[in-house]
Amino acid sequence: MKKFTTWLKSNKNNTILVIIFLVLLNLVCANTFFRLDLTHAKSYSLSESSKTLVSTLEQPLSVKVFFTANLPAPYNATQQYLKDLLVEYKGNANGNFDYDFYNMDHPENQSVAAEYNLRQVQIQQVTDTEVGLKQAYMGLVLMYADRIEAVDGLTSSEGMEYKLTTAMSKMIADTSALAGLSSNVSMTLYITPKIAEFGVSGFDTVDTAVVDALSAVNSVSGNRITFTRVVPAEEEIDSIVGTYGLPTVNWSNEDGSTGTGTLGVVLEYEEAFRIVPLSITRGLFGYGVTGLDNLETSIGETLHALVSKQVDVAYLTGVGEKGLADTQSGAYNFKSICSDWYNVIGVDLSEDEIPTGVKALIINGPTIEMSEDVLYKIDQFVMKGGNLLVFADPFIEEQDPQYAMYGAPPSYEPNESNISRLLEKYGVSVSQSYILDEQCHTQNDRQYGSLNFYYIPWVQQKTMNQDSVITANIPYTLLLQTAAVTPNFKNTSERSAEILLSSSHNAWHLNENIELHPMKIFKPAQTNMNQESLAVLLRGRFSSAFDAVPVGADEYDENTSSINAQSRLASSVQPSEIIVCGSSLITTSALIDENGQSATAIFLRNAVDYLNGNADLCSMRTKGIASSTFVVDNPTKASLAKLLNQYGLPFLVVLIGFVIWRIRELRRRKIQAGYYPDAMKDRLGEKGKKDE
């Protein structure tokens, strides 16, 4: 004992220092954590959108977790994942985030869960002797300001971060559109006072109307909007109009020169901006300022579109499109999978305008020729920075009911929709043919065996763009009766094209004698097969498809007025993004379910999120999906791989064990020979005699 005490007091002993180090390390780890996530999809790391959300909370957000303890596998892993997720939320929060786990063995906590409308879910429990069912609580409640949101049925870690962040975002957005902003929104009135000299109706009330409307909006927005009135010099007009796309007003001066002015209201936050609908237009009794009557509403809607991720999405109607209410052959399921974030509203541009604040317009399977006025409205929407999601079909399938009952196949007529006129101008061509692919959906038939549905291409992960957040980590996508969608320009600094989906290298075109039946489609020669692009993303600044304003869209007469006002934009004032797919059938119930669980539904939803500025939702949604798929290219190699996994690895383990045993045996004999050389010689001699 005395020797041990002396050793503890000696300089050679570092035990005390080690203990102090371990205590300090535990204290640091209790308040600090890090995670090394080696998965390709970063499945176990918090997304940047989630980090930003909790780091900019303006009010306390509380999470009450109601989870039954000691759950069987795999539900215990779900519970642990939720705990880790909440730890990361809190670690990235600004102090306004907190969570509590409730012990569900206590009856009072069960009563609390019932008050929040949380119900027990039935899960399977496997023991050594039997398989049974168990009732368990697996939900939580989010509380922010005066809002309460219950998230129940968290039986899987798949998509859990997406569910939580989505619920939090909606609560915060419903509380305040400006919550979480790092700085104020600026509003600028650009006005040329000389326009008042030309008797424009309502122009003299613009300043007062703008200030009053802003005051009303600021009263409910915490005074987060700063206002500036700018009277631009004439030499600055072109720059301002080119930057924001404001309307111009021209007139002739007494000396014969041309004067130029403008009128417009712009809201800006960081690098983004939106234009409040306020302009000078021509009516029956001359020019007047439009937009003054509902200016307060317009500013509020424009503000919400600028800073909020939850916006309306316009859906073009009146053009023979896939109907939003059609559950059989329409886009009802497509609307359903978007309903948690977006309000998809039908817009007939032959009668209405695209609503203020809309970021994206969906054009889904138009089948009739659009008027010049409708095309012009779409074109100017893009020029102002709006985004498009277009599903363009190459043919229209027509089935005569009289002959259908006798099994007659449908006919396929070329689609006469002129949406291709705009797409060609923006930089993408849609083929007048179906793309058939050797890599396709297959189905076993009792009579004919395995049938290949070549007109349903199976786009594998290796032919999906893994550098795009829209398609990254999606294992596959099925398309149906799709055309080829091909960029027709080279990428520049102003405009670029990015292929999202491609066929295999064994694809071909079908443009005549079309009969889509597996038994009546035959593959062409290998030399006639190629890889085709099936979905393309265009981004950048585009040129208008119109050289002038169409008659009836925005008419003016230089001979009946001393001024000339028009708002046509010849090119984009801010970058736009356009996604084009060669089939509208992928938005129907034929390929997507109402809950959006299929891979094709995830691709479509990612496209909608991306065009509405919610790209972070795409990565969150695909975290729970398998990041790779096993594709059998060679059945022989697949069989060899199966045998190797079943028998090769165990044999390899046995072989390595035998080699290690022999190495140890030789080492043991070598050591014995060093200490007892005579004994080893005798052993070897006796062994030799036995061998003789």
Side-chain angles (χ1 to χ4, degrees):
M1 185 65 183
K2 186 176 181 180
K3 291 182 178 180
F4 180 72
T5 306
T6 304
W7 175 77
L8 284 176
K9 295 179 179 180
S10 67
N11 293 331
K12 297 180 180 180
N13 177 35
N14 293 321
T15 305
I16 297 177
L17 293 177
V18 172
I19 294 174
I20 294 174
F21 171 75
L22 291 176
V23 171
L24 293 176
L25 181 62
N26 276 276
L27 290 174
V28 171
C29 292
N31 297 282
T32 307
F33 69 95
F34 75 94
R35 175 173 292 166
L36 187 62
D37 190 350
L38 300 180
T39 59
H40 176 71
K42 299 301 178 184
S43 300
Y44 300 96
S45 299
L46 209 61
S47 302
E48 288 301 321
S49 179
S50 300
K51 293 178 181 179
T52 303
L53 179 72
V54 295
S55 65
T56 55
L57 291 172
E58 293 189 345
Q59 299 185 50
L61 193 154
S62 177
V63 183
K64 299 181 183 295
V65 184
F66 300 89
F67 249 78
T68 300
N70 302 318
L71 292 172
Y75 305 105
N76 54 350
T78 302
Q79 185 177 18
Q80 185 60 49
Y81 181 81
L82 175 59
K83 289 181 179 179
D84 294 342
L85 199 60
L86 292 175
V87 168
E88 286 216 49
Y89 274 119
K90 187 170 183 178
N92 288 278
N94 59 0
N96 281 331
F97 184 92
D98 199 9
Y99 64 90
D100 291 301
F101 277 81
Y102 284 73
N103 188 344
M104 300 313 295
D105 292 333
H106 296 166
E108 58 270 23
N109 290 338
Q110 296 179 12
S111 299
V112 174
E115 291 176 1
Y116 291 123
N117 204 28
L118 296 178
R119 297 290 181 263
Q120 295 186 76
V121 295
Q122 195 175 69
I123 61 175
Q124 188 179 66
Q125 184 175 16
V126 181
T127 64
D128 295 336
T129 58
E130 62 180 359
V131 177
L133 299 175
K134 179 180 180 179
Q135 296 293 116
Y137 286 96
M138 303 184 71
L140 56 83
V141 174
L142 302 170
M143 306 180 71
Y144 183 80
D146 59 345
R147 291 187 56 81
I148 298 176
E149 185 78 21
V151 183
D152 206 359
L154 295 174
T155 58
S156 172
S157 59
E158 180 178 331
M160 186 178 292
E161 182 193 351
Y162 172 75
K163 293 178 182 177
L164 297 185
T165 299
T166 297
M168 294 177 194
S169 297
K170 292 177 69 176
M171 294 173 68
I172 295 170
D174 290 343
T175 303
S176 173
L178 298 177
L181 299 187
S182 58
S183 60
N184 286 348
V185 175
S186 64
M187 188 176 94
T188 306
L189 168 64
Y190 293 95
I191 185 170
T192 303
K194 188 175 178 60
I195 298 176
E197 299 177 7
F198 302 100
V200 177
S201 176
F203 187 83
D204 56 340
T205 65
V206 168
D207 285 287
T208 303
V210 169
V211 172
D212 291 344
L214 174 61
S215 178
V217 174
N218 254 337
S219 65
V220 296
S221 303
N223 293 317
R224 297 296 298 273
I225 308 175
T226 59
F227 175 68
T228 306
R229 181 181 186 272
V230 175
V231 178
E234 191 164 342
E235 60 271 12
E236 299 174 338
I237 297 293
D238 289 341
S239 175
I240 293 172
V241 170
T243 301
Y244 300 112
L246 297 180
T248 57
V249 180
N250 300 319
W251 60 84
S252 297
N253 295 316
E254 294 181 356
D255 58 0
S257 61
T258 301
T260 304
T262 188
L263 174 66
V265 177
V266 179
L267 288 175
E268 294 180 90
Y269 177 68
E270 294 181 345
E271 297 180 357
F273 68 87
R274 288 288 184 274
I275 303 172
V276 178
L278 180 71
S279 60
I280 298 176
T281 58
R282 181 174 177 80
L284 294 175
F285 304 102
Y287 283 99
V289 179
T290 58
L292 292 175
D293 295 337
N294 57 346
L295 192 56
E296 179 183 338
T297 302
S298 297
I299 293 176
E301 291 177 349
T302 306
L303 174 65
H304 190 270
L306 178 66
V307 302
S308 175
K309 292 185 176 181
Q310 298 182 6
V311 297
D312 290 338
V313 176
Y315 188 92
L316 186 62
T317 61
V319 293
E321 74 290 343
K322 291 288 185 289
L324 288 174
D326 188 347
T327 59
Q328 298 299 320
S329 57
Y332 178 83
N333 283 359
F334 177 55
K335 179 181 179 180
S336 177
I337 65 175
C338 298
S339 60
D340 59 340
W341 267 87
Y342 306 104
N343 180 30
V344 182
I345 53 177
V347 178
D348 187 348
L349 292 184
S350 63
E351 300 177 357
D352 304 316
E353 301 289 333
I354 298 176
T356 303
V358 165
K359 298 179 182 179
L361 171 65
I362 299 175
I363 305 174
N364 188 13
T367 57
I368 63 175
E369 185 175 356
M370 304 180 197
S371 68
E372 289 291 288
D373 186 25
V374 170
L375 291 176
Y376 178 73
K377 290 178 180 178
I378 298 173
D379 177 78
Q380 290 300 291
F381 174 72
V382 174
M383 296 303 105
K384 295 175 182 177
N387 301 325
L388 294 182
L389 176 57
V390 182
F391 302 94
D393 298 304
F395 298 102
I396 299 175
E397 182 177 318
E398 296 181 349
Q399 178 72 67
D400 190 330
Q402 183 177 356
Y403 295 101
M405 59 185 301
Y406 298 105
S411 61
Y412 296 88
E413 302 297 331
N415 192 348
E416 299 298 332
S417 172
N418 51 356
I419 187 63
S420 57
R421 170 183 166 186
L422 298 183
L423 298 179
E424 288 279 353
K425 182 64 177 181
Y426 300 150
V428 66
S429 301
V430 180
S431 69
Q432 194 69 52
S433 60
Y434 284 136
I435 298 300
L436 308 186
D437 196 344
E438 189 177 56
Q439 186 65 55
C440 62
H441 171 69
T442 61
Q443 184 174 311
N444 290 323
D445 184 88
R446 291 183 179 181
Q447 182 177 359
Y448 301 105
S450 179
L451 296 178
N452 295 319
F453 291 78
Y454 295 118
Y455 54 90
I456 309 179
W458 177 28
V459 183
Q460 299 180 3
Q461 193 176 53
K462 62 183 180 181
T463 58
M464 301 175 71
N465 189 339
Q466 294 303 304
D467 294 328
S468 172
V469 70
I470 301 173
T471 49
N473 304 317
I474 300 179
Y476 68 90
T477 299
L478 285 175
L479 301 180
L480 176 59
Q481 295 174 227
T482 182
V485 181
T486 310
N488 58 21
F489 67 95
K490 294 183 178 180
N491 290 348
T492 65
S493 58
E494 285 291 313
R495 186 177 57 163
S496 64
E498 185 177 340
I499 297 175
L500 299 177
L501 304 177
S502 299
S503 69
S504 72
H505 290 276
N506 298 324
W508 67 97
H509 290 256
L510 179 64
N511 53 20
E512 58 183 3
N513 301 323
I514 300 174
E515 190 169 353
L516 300 181
H517 190 283
M519 302 294 295
K520 297 183 178 181
I521 299 177
F522 304 96
K523 293 188 296 183
Q526 189 70 33
T527 53
N528 294 328
M529 294 183 178
N530 293 290
Q531 186 175 40
E532 303 289 347
S533 57
L534 306 177
V536 172
L537 166 65
L538 307 178
R539 61 161 66 93
R541 299 178 185 271
F542 303 94
S543 298
S544 173
F546 290 83
D547 296 328
V549 179
V551 175
D554 189 14
E555 292 185 89
Y556 63 89
D557 188 351
E558 295 184 10
N559 298 323
T560 59
S561 178
S562 56
I563 62 172
N564 168 16
Q566 62 170 310
S567 57
R568 186 186 76 85
L569 298 175
S571 59
S572 297
V573 296
Q574 58 180 327
S576 299
E577 292 170 316
I578 302 172
I579 296 177
V580 183
C581 301
S583 170
S584 67
L585 292 175
I586 63 174
T587 66
T588 68
S589 58
L591 287 184
I592 62 175
D593 57 296
E594 188 175 348
N595 297 321
Q597 299 299 316
S598 68
T600 304
I602 293 174
F603 164 70
L604 293 175
R605 180 57 197 273
N606 282 358
V608 175
D609 283 334
Y610 182 83
L611 294 179
N612 282 280
N614 295 330
D616 286 336
L617 296 180
C618 303
S619 58
M620 273 193 283
R621 184 177 295 106
T622 56
K623 277 186 177 182
I625 303 176
S627 59
S628 60
T629 53
F630 183 74
V631 179
V632 179
D633 292 326
N634 189 315
T636 303
K637 291 182 179 179
S639 299
L640 290 175
K642 180 180 178 180
L643 292 173
L644 178 62
N645 282 315
Q646 287 181 331
Y647 306 108
L649 292 179
F651 174 77
L652 185 61
V653 171
V654 173
L655 180 63
I656 293 174
F658 178 78
V659 171
I660 293 175
W661 173 74
R662 290 302 303 165
I663 292 174
R664 287 182 175 179
E665 183 67 18
L666 293 174
R667 182 172 177 271
R668 185 177 63 83
R669 290 182 179 182
K670 184 177 180 181
I671 293 173
Q672 288 180 345
Y675 286 97
Y676 309 105
D678 295 335
M680 291 301 297
K681 288 179 180 179
D682 292 341
R683 285 186 60 183
L684 293 174
E686 292 176 359
K687 184 178 179 182
K689 291 178 181 180
K690 290 180 180 180
D691 293 340
E692 291 177 0

